[in-house]
């Protein structure tokens, strides 16, 4: 009987030890399929550009930050290969690589492959985005890009039309006041001329 207990105890110890030794390595939530060629990734992206990080802003509250919190990274763009990219543009990415976010560093240059999600461009760890110093193969395959358009000076279309409507209403008001004033003066003149005659 004692011998049977020892056999069971030894079997349990071996199973537990075997389970601990063969435990899986630490896994991250993000896992990417291997990147395709430069041209494949360019075709899948809505914007491809090279730029320097000028600012980074997190959307999370500092006490309760998560690796999935969005970080808005603004670039000063030097060269564009694809997309409607201006000289200064922002992209969104998760804070950490654990949530498939690309961890940009302020002041560094990157070759960025971004996808459009609603109103913003998004970059992930699974895109082909890379520091510019490591992007030689990509730059050679992409060829010469174009210089981004300078930011438009003045107002955008919506501000311009709003300004024009306000100006027209002001002119109509001035015209109406002038008309009423002239009419009142004319009546006053005609009354005065009637009294004098």
């Amino acid at each position: 009987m004692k011998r049977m207990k020892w056999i069971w105890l030894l079997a349990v110890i071996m199973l537990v030890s075997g389970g601990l030794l063969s435990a899986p390595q630490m896994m991250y939530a993000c896992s990417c399929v291997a990147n395709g060629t430069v041209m494949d990734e360019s075709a899948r992206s809505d914007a491809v550009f090279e730029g320097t990080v000028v600012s980074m802003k997190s959307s999370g509250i500092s006490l309760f930050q998560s690796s999935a919190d969005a970080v808005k990274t603004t670039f000063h763009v030097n060269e564009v290969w694809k997309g409607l990219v201006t000289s200064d543009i922002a992209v969104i990415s998760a804070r950490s690589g654990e949530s498939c976010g690309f961890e940009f560093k302020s002041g560094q240059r990157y070759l960025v492959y971004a996808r459009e999600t609603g109103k913003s461009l998004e970059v992930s760890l699974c895109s082909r985005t890379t520091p510019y110093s490591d992007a030689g193969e990509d730059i050679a395959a992409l060829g010469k890009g174009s210089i981004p358009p300078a930011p438009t000076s003045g107002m955008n279309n919506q501000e311009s039309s709003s300004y024009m409507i306000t100006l027209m209403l002001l002119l109509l008001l001035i015209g109406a006041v002038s008309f009423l004033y002239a009419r009142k003066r004319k009546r006053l003149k005609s009354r005065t001329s009637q009294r004098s005659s």
Side-chain angles (χ1 to χ4, degrees), residues 100-178:
C100 287
F102 193 95
E103 297 177 41
F104 292 105
K105 291 183 180 155
S106 192
Q108 288 198 5
R109 283 173 77 184
Y110 292 90
L111 176 62
V112 179
Y113 292 84
R115 293 189 182 168
E116 226 172 89
T117 55
K119 294 182 180 180
S120 59
L121 288 172
E122 189 176 288
V123 174
S124 78
L125 188 63
C126 298
S127 73
R128 207 176 159 94
T129 298
T130 187
Y132 187 74
S133 57
D134 300 334
E137 176 191 343
D138 293 60
I139 301 295
L142 290 167
K144 186 162 176 56
S146 62
I147 296 170
T152 56
S153 58
M155 297 172 277
N156 64 29
N157 289 342
Q158 189 175 1
E159 289 172 331
S160 178
S161 63
S162 159
Y163 175 76
M164 290 302 289
I165 290 169
T166 305
L167 185 62
M168 285 176 17
L169 288 173
L170 185 62
L171 288 172
L172 277 171
L173 182 66
I174 290 170
V177 168
S178 299

Side-chain angles (χ1 to χ4, degrees), residues 30-164:
C30 180
S31 103
C32 306
V33 176
N35 283 329
T37 66
V38 174
M39 291 303 138
D40 289 342
E41 190 61 30
S42 176
R44 280 193 291 266
S45 301
D46 295 303
V48 180
F49 63 90
E50 176 268 310
T52 304
V53 175
V54 291
S55 72
M56 297 171 74
K57 185 179 178 188
S58 176
S59 66
I61 300 168
S62 58
L63 292 176
F64 306 103
Q65 290 183 342
S66 158
S67 66
D69 287 342
V71 175
K72 180 179 179 182
T73 304
T74 304
F75 289 86
H76 177 72
V77 179
N78 302 311
E79 197 168 3
V80 179
W81 286 272
K82 185 176 181 183
L84 299 172
V85 178
T86 57
S87 60
D88 289 301
I89 196 162
V91 300
I92 303 292
S93 187
R95 171 185 305 284
S96 166
E98 294 173 8
S99 295
C100 287
F102 193 95
E103 297 177 41
F104 292 105
K105 291 183 180 155
S106 192
Q108 288 198 5
R109 283 173 77 184
Y110 292 90
L111 176 62
V112 179
Y113 292 84
R115 293 189 182 168
E116 226 172 89
T117 55
K119 294 182 180 180
S120 59
L121 288 172
E122 189 176 288
V123 174
S124 78
L125 188 63
C126 298
S127 73
R128 207 176 159 94
T129 298
T130 187
Y132 187 74
S133 57
D134 300 334
E137 176 191 343
D138 293 60
I139 301 295
L142 290 167
K144 186 162 176 56
S146 62
I147 296 170
T152 56
S153 58
M155 297 172 277
N156 64 29
N157 289 342
Q158 189 175 1
E159 289 172 331
S160 178
S161 63
S162 159
Y163 175 76
M164 290 302 289

